[in-house]
Amino acid sequence: MSPSQESVYPEYETDTSQTSKLIRKFKETPFVPIGMAGFAAVVGYGLYKLKHRGNMKMSLHLIHMRVAAQGFVVGAITCGVLYSMFREYVVKPKE
């Protein structure tokens, strides 16, 4: 690419680090990173409790952990959709 030509997507070429991409994604859709963090927290807590599960079968414990993690992610996605609908249709200035 010659220096005289401008880039078609300048914002994507300047943000090359993973941190800047994550910050941009968090600003665009804040519930995606929240869902990812919640998923990781539920899985981490489930793995911690795996050692102290008592006489519960491992498969049952893993099923409960999976359902809790999926529930958190679906809840975060639902909140994100409702937030974006609220921002688009209620708060959006009239044109």
Side-chain angles (χ1 to χ4, degrees):
M1 189 156 119
S2 68
S4 64
Q5 293 179 344
E6 288 189 28
S7 174
V8 178
Y9 301 110
E11 66 272 3
Y12 291 111
E13 290 181 2
T14 58
D15 292 341
T16 57
S17 71
Q18 294 295 327
T19 306
S20 62
K21 288 180 183 180
L22 186 64
I23 290 171
R24 182 174 47 91
K25 187 69 165 175
F26 187 75
K27 288 178 182 177
E28 291 173 1
T29 55
F31 288 96
V32 171
I34 291 171
M36 290 169 37
F39 176 80
V42 168
V43 169
Y45 179 73
L47 290 174
Y48 173 74
K49 295 298 282 184
L50 184 66
K51 187 175 183 180
H52 306 289
R53 69 181 186 274
N55 60 356
M56 183 187 290
K57 290 183 179 180
M58 181 182 272
S59 63
L60 186 62
H61 178 75
L62 292 175
I63 288 171
H64 288 166
M65 187 174 63
R66 179 186 63 90
V67 169
Q70 283 179 335
F72 192 91
V73 170
V74 168
I77 290 172
T78 303
C79 289
V81 168
L82 291 174
Y83 174 72
S84 66
M85 287 174 59
F86 175 77
R87 196 173 56 186
E88 173 124 359
Y89 295 113
V90 176
V91 181
K92 184 177 180 181
K94 307 277 188 221
E95 290 182 14

